[in-house]
Amino acid sequence: MDAAALRADFPILDQEVNGHPLVYLDSAATSQRPLPVLDAEREFLLRHNAAVHRGAHTLAAEATDLFEDARATVAGFVGAQPDQLVWTSGATMGLNLVAYSIGNASIGRGAPASAQLALRPGDEIVTTAIEHHANLIPWQELAARTGAVLRHIPAHDDGTLDLAAAAEIIGARTRIVAFTHVSNVLGIVNPVAELVALARSVGALTVMDACQSAPHLPLDLPSLGVDLAVFSGHKMLGPYGVGGLYGRSEVLEAMPPFLTGGSMITTVTLDGAEYLPPPQRFEAGTQPIGPAIGLAAAVRYLDGVGLEKVHAHERMLADRMRAGLVEIPGIRLLGDAPGERVGLWSFDVAGVHAHDAGQFLDSRGIAVRVGHHCAAPLHARYGVTASVRASAALYNTVDDVDAFLDAASGIRPYFGV
Ligand code: PMP
């Protein structure tokens, strides 16, 4: 894979920041968009913009075709059928949609099949100690609303999940197992097959956060066996404000709606309404049409490069980063497990606050993220409140990594520690 050649599609990368060539290592927060994504959105707005479905005019029909083609393309990217993909505004909304839908099932809303999703006091929701807040707080809220109990699979020091503990925790009372495919702090690819097998053995629903895997690994959600999964467009070369919720058809069909209103109904009277089948049942209101079309262009771009190649390239960058970081005195990697991973590392710099380290790197043109990366409990697990995270994407080069390592080696000397 020729990352240097791909960069021509990402003009934003070709600039100087603070007198240095920009080294963008913050793709886990948001990725940059290639020209074909910008072109697809622009072309839609310039030539075809209209509200979708039910329009009697030509532009509405064109917009509907482009929107539904985008659904098929993005669904295909994760191995799904078009009606298994619900548009959302991002992963956070997707996870809230699931949690609120199950909450609605728990108070008796929905079709008869929804009863199978209902939680009762004492039922258990299992998540992990390494989740992004988006895959933690919605479950805390759902537990509070239903009387369910929230439990957590702990992590080992190397950042891998403790599967022996998981086998103890996932039991007869477990109704939901929610876990991330790849942590946005650790970069480790979690053992989906094992977690799905444990959940299935007790009849629990699985919910996977695929935000940090979808842009970096070949992803076939049906073959992974998860019931539901979410991802965010802006982390996978696509626009802000659009994401996907994948669901196994039986599960989506059993789920009551979360948001209600226009575009998700068959009939409405003043006293009640009948709802459309999935995915429209979950798409109340005007959808992010242009962003969905942009996201389809983004996944076509990723597919054009090839996810196997993307993964191998980013893995090479990750290994190079690690080799350099472990040589720098005072740098401690969070989650230094040897197995499968994507191209990101978070680290603590002894004696230097992560924000100071980030500002120093910025003064050298290096863009990284600092803070708890919306995973405060995970940072507490490592005894820190913040870390520095460098995260690569397909457009990063060996030169980027070397410039980052060179600058990182200067952090502690600069601060005199
Ligand atoms: N999960 C993970 C693992 C993430 O990295 C993020 C974004 N940092 C989210 C969920 C939330 O995504 P969004 O803010 O796009 O909804």
Side-chain angles (χ1 to χ4, degrees), residues 90-92 132 134 180 184 209 211-212 232 234-235:
T92 303
H132 187 282
T180 191
N184 64 315
D209 178 349
C211 268
Q212 299 292 348
S232 273
H234 72 100
K235 292 183 194 283

Side-chain angles (χ1 to χ4, degrees), residues 193-281:
E194 283 83 345
L195 292 167
V196 167
L198 284 172
R200 278 198 179 156
S201 73
V202 297
L205 194 76
T206 46
V207 183
M208 189 172 83
D209 178 349
C211 268
Q212 299 292 348
S213 54
H216 305 298
L217 309 168
L219 194 59
D220 187 84
L221 293 170
S223 71
L224 284 177
V226 291
D227 292 311
L228 297 158
V230 300
F231 49 87
S232 273
H234 72 100
K235 292 183 194 283
M236 46 200 290
L237 315 187
Y240 293 115
V242 66
L245 165 67
Y246 155 82
R248 282 204 307 115
S249 301
E250 307 87 276
V251 176
L252 287 180
E253 269 152 28
M255 283 168 55
F258 159 43
L259 297 176
T260 52
S263 307
M264 47 79 72
I265 46 83
T266 50
T267 54
V268 186
T269 66
L270 285 178
D271 298 317
E274 299 286 329
Y275 305 131
L276 282 164
Q280 280 79 18
R281 183 189 302 160

Side-chain angles (χ1 to χ4, degrees), residues 4 12 34 92 139 151 158 186 326 332 337 342 366 377:
I12 195 171
T92 303
W139 306 119
R151 303 188 66 189
D158 69 0
L186 306 169
V326 296
R332 174 177 62 129
V342 301
I366 319 275

